[in-house]
Amino acid sequence: MGALDSVFARTRGEGRGALIGYLPAGFPTVDGSVDLFKGMVDAGCDLVEVGVPYSDPVMDGPVIQAAAETALKAGFRLRDLFTVVEAVSAAGGRAVVMTYWNPVFRYGVDAFSRDLAAAGGLGIITPDLIPDEGADWIAASEAHGLDRIFLVAPSSSEERIASTVAASSGFVYATAVMGVTGARDQVGTSAAGLVERTRAHTSLPIGVGLGVRSGAQAAEVASFADAVIVGSAFVTRAQEGVPGVRALAAELADGVRTAPTPIG
Amino acid sequence: MTDEKPEVDPHAPGQHDPDTKGHFGPYGGRFMPEALIGALDELSAEYDKARLDPEFTAEFTRLLRDYAGRPSLLTEAPRFAEHAGGARVFLKREDLNHTGSHKINNVLGQALLTKRMGKERVIAETGAGQHGVATATACALMGLDCVVYMGEVDTERQALNVARMKLLGAEVIPVTSGSRTLKDAINEALRDWVTNVDTTHYLLGTAAGGHPFPVMVRNFHKVIGIEARAQFLEQTGRLPDVVTACVGGGSNAIGIFHGFIDDPGVRLVGIEPGGKGIETGEHGATLGHGSPGMLHGAMSYLLQDEDGQTTEAYSISAGLDYPGVGPEHAWLKDTARAEYRSATDDEAMHAFQLLSRTEGIIPAIESSHALAGALKLGQELGPEGHILVNLSGRGDKDMDTAAKYFGFYEES
C-alpha cells in the first residue's frame, strides 16, 4: 500500500540496490538542510531519511550527536521538520523521517502522522520504538497512509524478526552491527547473515545501515541487501556543503549499481 | 495496636508487579532499540527464575546481612523532631550500609544475576557517585570488570567518589556530551551496552529504564521497607502516618514505599528536588512539574519542552539531578497512592545542617530533601504525628559542596 513500494519496484527492476541518505533536519540550519537534501536527491539518493534532532540520541555515535546538537542550538523546532520534508518532496525527492519516539509522542502520534503525510513524507523509521509498544503508531500509519519501518538487529531472535517484519511496511531496516551510528572501515559480517535471516520471514525490501561510508562498501552491501543506508558519512561530508554531499551521493550511487541485487 | 504480618518475601510475584510487558498502568514498557531487546529478554527470564530460586534469594539475603550489614537501624530523632512540629521522626538508616547508601542492595542483586548469566563485564552510570561506588564494590567482591560512566560535571563535584571507584578497580569514564550529568551518563552507558551486549550487563542504578529494570530494582530495595515496617511496629507499636523519601530516579523511595503500600492508612510522600525554586525553572521536580513521555527506555514523567526534547534538570545534589523518574512512581502519582512534593536546595541544606547538629548524623544532600519534607510534614501533622524518613545515604561525599554552601572554607 505504501508509496515506498514504487521506489523498490524501480530499483529492483533496474537490478540494483536503492541508495538511502540520512541527514538531520535543520543541520546546519533549516534552509541549509533543504539544500543538502536536494543535492543528495539530485546526485542519486533514491530516498532520503530526514532525521529529527533529539536531545538524547542513544543509538547515535559522536558525528550524528554533534549534528543534532548543532541543529538544536541553531533553533530547530519540530514544525521545521515538515518544512524540510515538504521542500524535499516538492523538489522531486522521496522522504521518510527517522526519529526517536518521544518527540512524536509529545506532538501527538496521530497529529504527527497527519502532518507528515500532508508534507509528502512516506513513512517513519523508529529506532527506539518496537512494534510491541507501537499500537498508536500502527493505527495512525494506517489512517494516514504512512509506512512503518521498524528495525531488526543481529541480536534479534527469529521470533522477534518474524513479529517485527510482520508489523513493518515499505522496507525493513537491518542494523549491520551491534553498536551506534558511525562510519566504519568494515561493515560487520553479521549484516549479510541478518539479511538472510530476515528474508526468511518477509518479502519486504531490506535496507542495511550503520557503518557504510564508501562506494566499495555500498557495492558490497547492495550485493545482499535491497537498500544501502548511509548517515554519518553524509553528515561528515556536509561540512563541505552541497558539493560534499553530492560527491558522496554520486560515489555511493555508482556503488549500488556495480553489484547485482538479489531478488528478495 | 499492633499489626502483625507474616514474614514478607520481597521477591515473590504479586499484585503490584507490572504486566508481562513491564507496564504499570500506561507507564513503563520498553522504549528501547531492538538491538537491546534480546538482552532485556534474557535479563527478564533470568530474573524471573532467580526470584523464585531459594538458592539465589538465600545468597542475596546472606550478602545483605554479612557484607552490606543489614538490617539497617531505625533511629528515632527526637532533637531533630523538635523542629518538626513535635511529631515523632524516625530515620531508616540506609546511610549505615556498606558503601554508605541504599544503593548496595540493588547492586548486590544485579551482580549476582550477572554471574548467573555468565557475563563478566559490568557497566553502570552514576550521578553522585554512590551507585558507581556500590557497583565498583560489588564487582571487586565478585571479580567482575567494571566501567562507570559519570557526567563530567559530577566527576568534579564528587571527586572523592571518583577516587573511591578507581581504588576499587573500576574504570571511570567522564561523559562530556549534553548536560554532562546523570542523564548523559545513562545515554553513554546505553551506547556502550548496545555495542558490547554479548559480554556486558548494564547494572542500572535506579528503578527506571526498560522492563525488567523498574520491577527488579524495586524488589532488590524492598528490604528497606520490609525491615522498616517491622522495626517501626516494634519501637512504637503502630505504623507511621507518613513515609517519606527523596525521589530522583526513585529507587530508595520505591523500596521503602513498598513496605507500606498495602497499608492504606500510611501516606507515601516523595520529595523531589526543587533546586533554586520551581518558579526559576531550575529544578528536578519531574513528577510535580513534568509531563508524560519516554526517556531511557520507559514511559514515565519527564522534564521536556513543547517539542519533546528533554530539558536539563538542576539540583544541588548530583544524585537527584535527573529529568526522568521511574515509571512506577508515575503510576503511584496518577493513582494517588503516593504524593510528590519538592524541597529546594536551601530547604535541603537547612535540613542537612539541622540533622548534623541535632542528632550527630550527617545525611547525604539527596536524603536531606526527605528530611526537609519531614520538617514540613511534622508541622502539618502536629505532636501526634509519626513520620518515617528514609535516610538513604550518608553525607561524607558532600563535604565539599557543604563547605562551599556554608562558607566554611572562608572561615578557615
Side-chain angles (χ1 to χ4, degrees), chain A residues 49-197:
Chain A
E49 275 182 33
V50 182
V52 174
Y54 176 54
S55 53
D56 295 276
V58 298
M59 277 292 285
D60 285 305
V63 170
I64 292 178
Q65 284 177 46
E69 204 171 321
T70 299
L72 290 171
K73 281 193 176 147
F76 173 85
R77 294 296 312 270
L78 198 53
R79 58 177 173 264
D80 298 326
L81 175 77
F82 305 115
T83 307
V84 173
V85 170
E86 197 162 10
V88 172
S89 306
R94 294 166 182 274
V96 293
V97 162
M98 177 143 188
T99 181
Y100 292 92
W101 200 242
N102 194 53
V104 180
F105 176 79
R106 179 73 166 161
Y107 193 92
V109 176
D110 190 72
F112 187 95
S113 303
R114 177 197 66 211
D115 292 353
L116 178 60
L122 305 181
I124 310 181
I125 301 169
T126 53
D128 65 351
L129 183 74
I130 55 176
D132 318 46
E133 299 283 358
D136 291 356
W137 161 229
I138 290 170
S141 62
E142 301 282 345
H144 300 286
L146 295 172
D147 278 316
R148 299 181 295 271
I149 301 108
F150 290 111
L151 282 68
V152 292
S155 60
S156 300
S157 64
E158 295 303 312
E159 191 186 3
R160 286 207 59 82
I161 290 174
S163 61
T164 300
V165 299
S168 302
S169 66
F171 69 100
V172 178
Y173 190 126
T175 53
V177 291
M178 291 301 290
V180 296
T181 57
R184 291 171 171 82
D185 289 335
Q186 286 193 312
V187 179
T189 50
S190 55
L194 175 60
V195 169
E196 195 182 329
R197 288 204 294 138

Side-chain angles (χ1 to χ4, degrees), chain A residues 20-23 40 45 230-238 245 248-249 252:
Chain A
I20 304 178
Y22 164 95
L23 280 180
M40 286 159 68
C45 284
V230 180
S232 297
F234 273 116
V235 173
T236 302
R237 296 296 290 272
V245 297
L248 179 62
L252 296 165

Side-chain angles (χ1 to χ4, degrees), chain B residues 53-72:
Chain B
D53 177 353
E55 272 186 46
F56 177 85
T57 56
E59 177 67 359
F60 178 57
T61 303
R62 186 191 69 75
L63 282 171
L64 289 180
R65 183 190 65 221
D66 298 344
Y67 188 71
R70 302 206 74 93
S72 65

